[in-house]
Amino acid sequence: MNLRDLRYFVALADTKHFGKAAERSFVSQPTLSAQLKKLENYLGVQLIERQPRRVTLTDTGAKILPLARRILQESDEIISLARNEHDPLSGKLKLGLIPTIGPYLLPLVARRLRKQLPQLKLMLYEYQTQQLLEKLRDGEIEVAILALPVPMDGLEARELYHEDFNVAVPHNHPLAKKSHIKLDDLTGETLLLLEDGHCLRDQALDVCNRIDVKENEDYRATSLETLRQMVAAGLGVTLLPDLATRGPFGSGQGLAVKAFARPVPTRTVGAVWRKSSSRTQAIDAMCEVIKTAMSEKT
């Protein structure tokens, strides 16, 4: 048994497809299939159920999968640790972001990150919060930027910035004439939200739980941009994080974005990584750049 065969096994478990697993592993499909068969013969158990157009793990394979992930994670940590001894601020850093942060934060900090950390190559991924935490714990990414708090078992976190929420209403809505909106102004309004799985959905519900506001359950958006269009179409109102209302993401046609009156509801955005990570110096440096950039924006 070797690390290469475990990587093939994990790739197949992730993709559920021999061709895709082979492509991800940069080998031919026959090579990957043969090596996995050798792994099964070595262990003396069947790991994979091979069916036409379908690949599933056996019960034993499912039990071995998290152990294989852990072994590969630890081996990658060894390699990273050795490389970091030479230059901890170089090499690849796998960064995951939630969809309500990534598209709005990255344009503000990407150039600064390239300038201040020129040898650090960020590999970017986008997932919802739960997926992000799972991939972080499985070692598929090294650091995540998301809304805090999150379950911290085995993880470390650092706050990066606080972000206000704004209200988006149709341009011809009575609230569009106000300079600032009080939370009570939303009483009786139809609230548009993201679909289940987005932490922003839960945060918006938390903000509005003190007033009589009803959710439009017939429309649940997959992204903030879809939410924006739904509001512009007159289907209701929504809450948008501040970065999603700046620059090119401003009010837009048919939409008015209004600030809340004090006290303004906010969310805390932070970075999270594994306590055992060998990339803490690179993560700290990246966090410092982002924190500085965001403090200058406010």
Side-chain angles (χ1 to χ4, degrees), residues 126-144:
E126 186 176 87
Y127 302 102
Q128 294 181 12
T129 299
Q130 187 58 39
Q131 278 184 292
L132 208 57
L133 293 173
E134 289 173 1
K135 291 184 178 295
L136 184 60
R137 290 192 168 97
D138 288 342
E140 294 185 47
I141 61 173
E142 291 164 298
V143 57

